[in-house]
Amino acid sequence: MSAQAVAAPREKVAAPEHRETYLNHDYSWKSWLFTVDHKRIGILYLLTVAFFVAIGGLFAMMIRAELLTPKGDMLEAETYNKIFTMHGAVMIFFFLIPGVPGVLGNFVLPLMIGARDVAFPKINLLSWYIFVTGGLLTLFVAATGGVDTGWTFYAPYSSTYSNTRVAETAIMVFITGFSSILTGLNFLVTVHTMRAPGMTWFRLPLFVWSAYATSLINVLATPVLAITVLLLALERIFHIGIFDPRVGGDPILFEHMFWFYSHPAVYIMILPAMGVISELVAAFSRKRIFGYSFVAFSSLAIAVLGFLVWGHHMFVSGQSAYAGLVFSVLTVLIAVPTAVKIFNWTATLYQGSVEFATPFLYVLAFFGLFLIGGVTGLFLAAMGLDIHMHDNYFVVSHFHYVMVGGMVTAFFGGLHYWWPKMFGRMYNEAAGKLAALVIFVGFNLTFFPQFIVGYMGMPRRYHAYAPEFQTLNVLSSGGAVILGAGYLLAALNLIWSLKFGKVVTERNPWGATGLEWETQTPPIPHNFEVTPRVTQEAYAYHEMYSGKEAHGVH
Amino acid sequence: MSQHEHGSGQAHGGHHVHVVPLSLYFGIITVLFVLTAATVITAKMDLGAYNTVVALVIAITKATLVVLYFMHVRWSKKLVWIMVGSSLVWFSILIAFTMQDYLSRGWG
Amino acid sequence: MSTSTHAAPVAVPQQAGHGAPGHGHGHHPGLAHHFDDLEQQRDSAVYGMWAFLAQEVMFFGGLFIAYIVYRNLYPEAFAHASNLLNVPLGATNTAVLLASSLTMALAVRGGATGSKPTQLIMLLATIAFGLTFLVVKYFEYAEKFEHHLVPGPTFMSDPAHVSPFFTAHPEEIPHARIFFFLYFAMTGVHAAHMLVGAGLMAWIFLRAKKGEFVPEHHDALEMSGLYWHFVDIVWIFLFPMIYLLGYHFGDHHG
Ligand code: HEM
Ligand SMILES: [Cu+2]
């Protein structure tokens, strides 16, 4: 298909009649900057998130370049510390957290439930502005001094000792938090009040369930982070000693408050990604999701349980042994709803007529990578083991497997899947597949060696390391180049398609279920010509394909 | 009633606007003032550990009255009750799981 | 790869967008385009506001957990430091805020009955009570500055305003400083909410003056009311937790 795709599109561009879409009904820049259309806001998020991920990626490349050699020869210790801090903070607060909800959630969630918009369109735009403001100011702080505490801002280093710009960064995190709170609030209410007639809870696509569960966490956890960093900023400015043990302050309180948010935050990152995977698994195996209600409720279970395990980040912090035990046990429990999802996805694929299109390759990559990430999380959840692993590269590798291997992979899968709906163009399939493959290989080459080097005892967050770790670090840096090339290829392919990709006017190019595929491609400004009335469950593939080769190969 | 199936339709749906009798509002505010006086007076007495308990019980009672009557939760849909309840549950999680650490520090 | 668009009609067309037929309020001027009817719009507003308040509970919750932890670590210092606060002013402000909650509730009731004079008078009263609270708070803060009870280099340097307990136990002074830090943080964040609330009320007042709030549609008035009551509730807890902690010790030197 790749050959024709390059040659064919031109003639198709001159499509006969003018179709009004959310993209072409007004081209002015004002119509974008003041839009309250959830679809356009989704595109705004896409642009900004792409900008931030590029910046974060640049920092990552600098880290990997420094770590090519055991000596700290390229960057000074403090510069290195600032760079990994900005890498983590930018990636987490400006890409991993807003990524799937901001881009895909905004674009497809109202479409999926048959609504004309989210419940509060203006607040939706406000979220984006807060997000952009927070992000740009954070970069400004980074450029004019930076922070060296790590994205975790641990006290008392952050509150007393660091002489970098902690207070300003804390205030930026404070501001940015309200963007996710407002997005969460908006989605919660939207799911409750904006569903089309007949769209009952158990007919909702699973993406909506996971976006709902995520929003719950956004609303209930983020404010605690806000107040935590506010206290940190106040402490920085006034030096009262609230986190300073020399004068009766308790740094462990900071850790409790920080992780009360930040562990649930890892589910803010992964739950929406899991929702994407559910959609893709059903669409590309042409089957209803096995155990729909289990998958739906497992999202809620993860959201709730996710609040009870934060102390697993604090096993060696000085919290009581009893608390460590409780957190350790509860952490293992959370693997259950996670495993429910994986089993049900796998069971869905069984005997499905699986189609290995680009988005589905990302699904397969997600399965492999997230599984490794989750299982190594269980290693870390065992208190005894974690005392050895804590703060070394094993942890680094664990969270990159879940966050990059999990969230980012699903994000790319979802982006490719909904791309034709968003822009009315199809990317080059061969290049898409190649990119997915390169990403998978590059990712493993980058991060698998880090498990080993971590297990051997290489600590995280240093610009220098013992010479015996060099081979594995060189492998990792080499992998990072491949990984970066893979992402670049995927991104270029998508960008290329905007102008040269095959024009898609079909409503449902994938032959998938879901209201977003029932409306025009790209959708009209108010989504649906007529309000849809839903009469079926979410994944009625059997009904859709009955009479044809419903179950593919037997 | 409408074509929409709102999340948690309950008895009090529709365009029903609840007008609370004035006397109820004045009754509630009287109780609130009395409880405020009570909290000051009991705080003046030395009840040992019970000072805190009494203060909290009074504060919770006052807050409950405000939530139920001034904020109309008493006449609100089920989802509002759920939201109020969840915020309290999550607040309790924050307290309980943080304090389980502090209170068990001495356990060795 | 694809199949025909409507291989399975998951959705079938129904009547077009706005409002169901025979539904009285289909084109109310206060109805936003993306809602079908006023009920859906009001439900959204109510749920949205309560979700926001849940967020607020957790926001203040972060301060409360810090308070609980340190009070549990340093009970004596907290109780004696609390005694340095001005209980009569705190109690007055509690009463002022409760009164403002009543007038707020009455303003919303004025929305439900469609009485514009009630709305205007009660909103003005609410704003007046709110400002009274802030003024009292200002005098309290000023007094703490004068008495060197603000956490900082000169904290508790004025013997006239330090209770015997701290003179006898100077090692507890850093803990008192944490208490006062929390006092300022908690009441400060609360006062910031009051300021926002007062601004909100001024805006609602102007809208009420234009006659925007009618029985079937006064969501903005009602939601602002919820916010106002919430801020009152926070104070209902702050007052005993902060001011009355060591009241029975009887050594008031604030
Ligand atoms: C089965 C599920 C999971 C388990 C049992 C688990 C367990 C753990 C544990 C015990 C740690 C602490 C290690 C240490 O610092 O010594 C940890 C760290 C971490 N995990 Fe997970 N995890 C799981 C899933 C996830 C997911 C889904 C994400 C994100 C999408 C994630 C992100 C992180 C991050 C970012 C850290 C390190 C934070 C830091 O110190 O900078 N984890 N995990
Ligand atoms: Cu965690």
Side-chain angles (χ1 to χ4, degrees):
Chain A
M1 128 162 207
S2 60
Q4 316 137 297
V6 184
R10 294 308 171 88
E11 25 201 305
K12 288 213 172 172
V13 172
E17 92 287 25
H18 176 78
R19 292 153 58 249
E20 191 188 39
T21 74
Y22 80 101
L23 289 168
N24 72 12
H25 78 104
D26 189 342
Y27 287 107
S28 67
W29 60 270
K30 264 192 193 161
S31 74
W32 278 93
L33 287 184
F34 297 109
T35 184
V36 289
D37 179 346
H38 66 98
K39 301 182 288 304
R40 283 191 163 205
I41 293 174
I43 306 297
L44 290 178
Y45 267 106
L46 178 58
L47 291 171
T48 38
V49 150
F51 168 73
F52 286 118
V53 82
I55 305 267
L58 223 61
F59 288 129
M61 285 307 168
M62 291 166 80
I63 296 175
R64 284 320 317 170
E66 167 61 64
L67 294 180
L68 266 174
T69 58
K71 282 212 202 73
D73 37 20
M74 192 183 106
L75 302 167
E76 281 179 33
E78 198 184 276
T79 318
Y80 180 81
N81 293 352
K82 287 178 181 172
I83 284 177
F84 76 67
T85 301
M86 283 329 285
H87 165 67
V90 167
M91 287 301 200
I92 287 178
F93 295 119
F94 302 105
F95 174 56
L96 292 162
I97 288 176
V100 173
V103 181
L104 301 176
N106 260 321
F107 193 91
V108 300
L109 188 136
L111 289 170
M112 280 180 161
I113 63 173
R116 284 192 286 283
D117 208 323
V118 293
F120 309 112
K122 286 183 200 142
I123 291 181
N124 201 17
L125 182 63
L126 178 67
S127 300
W128 181 74
Y129 273 102
I130 296 176
F131 166 69
V132 175
T133 312
L136 293 181
L137 288 176
T138 304
L139 292 183
F140 176 76
V141 173
T144 56
V147 216
D148 67 348
T149 60
W151 80 282
T152 46
F153 302 110
Y154 269 16
Y157 180 70
S158 60
S159 52
T160 309
Y161 300 104
S162 167
N163 42 31
T164 56
R165 304 183 62 178
V166 180
E168 293 92 327
T169 315
I171 290 167
M172 297 319 141
V173 172
F174 178 86
I175 294 175
T176 310
F178 287 97
S179 164
S180 32
I181 292 174
L182 292 179
T183 301
L185 186 154
N186 223 331
F187 284 1
L188 276 186
V189 177
T190 302
V191 175
H192 273 288
T193 63
M194 305 298 281
R195 287 173 282 126
M199 181 56 91
T200 57
W201 282 87
F202 289 99
R203 285 178 183 164
L204 287 173
L206 287 165
F207 179 77
V208 178
W209 276 93
S210 56
Y212 184 88
T214 308
S215 304
L216 213 64
I217 309 178
N218 273 328
V219 170
L220 291 166
T222 318
V224 177
L225 175 74
I227 205 73
T228 309
V229 293
L230 187 70
L231 284 180
L232 176 62
L234 289 175
E235 169 66 15
R236 276 294 287 192
I237 298 167
F238 298 111
H239 303 290
I240 285 89
I242 183 158
F243 298 129
D244 184 349
R246 292 172 309 176
V247 287
D250 183 13
I252 295 178
L253 176 65
F254 178 88
E255 294 192 26
H256 275 304
M257 293 173 70
F258 180 82
W259 289 114
F260 177 87
Y261 166 76
S262 293
H263 180 78
V266 309
Y267 293 104
I268 296 180
M269 306 174 212
I270 202 65
L271 274 171
M274 290 169 156
V276 170
I277 297 297
S278 292
E279 296 304 313
L280 300 193
V281 164
F284 291 97
S285 56
R286 303 245 179 286
K287 272 179 70 184
R288 89 167 33 91
I289 287 281
F290 181 83
Y292 170 96
S293 51
F294 281 91
V295 180
F297 280 118
S298 68
S299 293
L300 290 183
I302 288 175
V304 175
L305 270 177
F307 276 92
L308 309 179
V309 300
W310 78 76
H312 65 219
H313 294 272
M314 301 166 58
F315 287 144
V316 299
S317 70
Q319 75 179 349
S320 80
Y322 162 81
L325 199 72
V326 170
F327 282 128
S328 185
V329 170
L330 288 171
T331 303
V332 175
L333 274 188
I334 208 169
V336 174
T338 312
V340 163
K341 282 187 192 285
I342 306 240
F343 288 138
N344 283 295
W345 289 326
T346 320
T348 307
L349 293 181
Y350 177 67
Q351 292 206 341
S353 47
V354 175
E355 192 198 319
F356 290 86
T358 305
F360 191 73
L361 293 193
Y362 283 104
V363 172
L364 292 181
F366 175 95
F367 284 170
L369 303 180
F370 183 73
L371 201 66
I372 296 180
V375 169
T376 52
L378 284 176
F379 292 10
L380 296 170
M383 202 176 5
L385 252 172
D386 187 65
I387 289 171
H388 171 59
M389 312 282 215
H390 177 67
D391 251 354
N392 73 29
Y393 265 85
F394 193 92
V395 175
V396 173
S397 193
H398 153 68
F399 65 70
H400 281 90
Y401 264 84
V402 276
M403 302 205 293
V404 183
M407 181 280 183
V408 182
T409 305
F411 178 71
F412 270 84
L415 204 56
H416 282 83
Y417 176 62
W418 282 297
W419 193 262
K421 180 59 71 177
M422 293 166 103
F423 297 107
R425 297 276 185 162
M426 190 55 109
Y427 49 84
N428 180 301
E429 177 70 12
K433 283 185 171 144
L434 180 65
L437 194 70
V438 174
I439 288 173
F440 184 75
V441 172
F443 181 89
N444 282 300
L445 201 55
T446 313
F447 291 106
F448 204 84
Q450 295 185 6
F451 279 131
I452 305 169
V453 85
Y455 190 79
M456 286 161 65
M458 177 171 161
R460 65 193 276 211
R461 294 180 170 174
Y462 288 91
H463 71 149
Y465 54 85
E468 63 263 35
F469 299 140
Q470 186 169 16
T471 318
L472 288 164
N473 273 291
V474 170
L475 266 183
S476 182
S477 293
V481 174
I482 299 176
L483 180 59
Y487 285 132
L488 214 58
L489 179 58
L492 289 178
N493 186 23
L494 292 175
I495 296 169
W496 169 90
S497 78
L498 292 178
K499 200 148 171 65
F500 306 107
K502 186 163 82 73
V503 173
V504 181
T505 49
E506 253 176 296
R507 287 175 181 240
N508 191 356
W510 301 112
T513 61
L515 292 183
E516 78 269 32
W517 303 112
E518 299 282 326
T519 182
Q520 180 188 286
T521 300
I524 53 171
H526 290 304
N527 293 354
F528 298 96
E529 292 89 349
V530 285
T531 304
R533 172 170 284 277
V534 183
T535 56
Q536 275 177 313
E537 57 170 307
Y539 304 105
Y541 282 98
H542 184 75
E543 288 79 349
M544 189 184 243
Y545 289 96
S546 59
K548 306 180 190 168
E549 13 84 87
H551 281 291
V553 265
H554 278 284
Chain B
M1 51 155 297
S2 90
Q3 51 169 315
H4 268 265
E5 300 186 349
H6 296 290
S8 68
Q10 208 195 244
H12 285 280
H15 289 276
H16 177 83
V17 182
H18 201 94
V19 181
V20 181
L22 282 177
S23 54
L24 184 60
Y25 281 144
F26 288 115
I28 297 291
I29 193 72
T30 312
V31 178
L32 288 175
F33 279 136
V34 169
L35 287 175
T36 304
T39 200
V40 176
I41 292 166
T42 52
K44 195 83 195 145
M45 307 189 262
D46 189 353
L47 307 175
Y50 288 103
N51 271 112
T52 307
V53 178
V54 171
L56 272 181
V57 167
I58 294 180
I60 291 171
T61 312
K62 285 165 74 179
T64 310
L65 289 176
V66 174
V67 168
L68 285 181
Y69 294 98
F70 285 176
M71 297 173 93
H72 289 211
V73 168
R74 194 170 152 198
W75 306 283
S76 295
K77 291 187 180 177
K78 199 166 61 192
L79 184 61
V80 171
W81 286 83
I82 294 176
M83 284 177 158
V84 176
S86 340
S87 65
L88 296 179
V89 168
W90 258 265
F91 181 43
S92 320
I93 292 176
L94 174 62
I95 295 176
F97 277 75
T98 306
M99 290 319 285
Q100 63 144 352
D101 169 22
Y102 285 94
L103 298 179
S104 62
R105 289 274 173 90
W107 294 7
Chain C
M1 63 149 295
S2 62
T3 53
S4 75
T5 310
H6 284 284
V10 175
V12 295
Q14 206 227 356
Q15 74 270 61
H18 297 252
H23 198 284
H25 303 286
H27 294 282
H28 191 280
L31 181 66
H33 81 275
H34 59 294
F35 292 118
D36 284 327
D37 52 46
L38 284 175
E39 189 206 358
Q40 186 191 20
Q41 176 167 319
R42 180 174 180 279
D43 281 349
S44 302
V46 171
Y47 298 153
M49 195 62 208
W50 276 104
F52 180 77
L53 294 183
Q55 178 278 137
E56 288 278 20
V57 169
M58 297 312 289
F59 186 76
F60 280 99
L63 289 169
F64 277 79
I65 188 65
Y67 169 91
I68 295 170
V69 163
Y70 286 117
R71 177 175 162 181
N72 172 65
L73 286 176
Y74 311 118
E76 296 248 293
F78 264 50
H80 286 277
S82 160
N83 262 346
L84 299 171
L85 295 177
N86 193 324
V87 174
L89 285 189
T92 309
N93 256 352
T94 310
V96 168
L97 263 196
L98 287 175
S100 81
S101 250
L102 174 68
T103 55
M104 186 71 240
L106 294 176
V108 174
R109 189 176 184 277
T113 58
S115 158
K116 191 168 143 185
T118 313
Q119 295 169 25
L120 295 182
I121 294 170
M122 289 305 157
L123 282 171
L124 271 187
T126 308
I127 295 173
F129 282 128
L131 293 181
T132 310
F133 177 92
L134 287 170
V135 169
V136 172
K137 203 78 222 143
Y138 167 79
F139 281 111
E140 265 192 274
Y141 281 173
E143 192 190 63
K144 295 292 160 289
F145 269 94
E146 264 169 47
H147 295 177
H148 295 285
L149 287 174
V150 178
T154 65
F155 182 69
M156 285 201 171
S157 61
D158 181 352
H161 296 287
V162 180
S163 52
F165 174 81
F166 290 108
T167 323
H169 303 276
E171 76 281 1
E172 291 278 16
I173 290 182
H175 308 151
R177 207 163 58 188
I178 292 179
F179 173 86
F180 273 95
F181 176 75
L182 288 172
Y183 162 76
F184 279 104
M186 293 171 105
T187 56
V189 170
H190 178 264
H193 276 79
M194 293 288 301
L195 268 179
V196 172
L200 195 65
M201 286 313 146
W203 177 60
I204 291 295
F205 177 81
L206 293 180
R207 290 181 61 176
K209 231 171 116 185
K210 284 192 231 148
E212 268 188 46
F213 302 130
V214 289
E216 73 273 16
H217 177 60
H218 55 284
D219 298 351
L221 172 60
E222 205 182 339
M223 299 316 127
S224 315
L226 290 181
Y227 173 85
W228 190 270
H229 294 305
F230 172 80
V231 179
D232 182 24
I233 290 177
V234 173
W235 187 261
I236 287 179
F237 284 95
L238 287 185
F239 174 57
M241 282 171 53
I242 292 184
Y243 287 82
L244 300 177
L245 206 41
Y247 200 39
H248 55 277
F249 293 162
D251 58 338
H252 310 293
H253 291 260

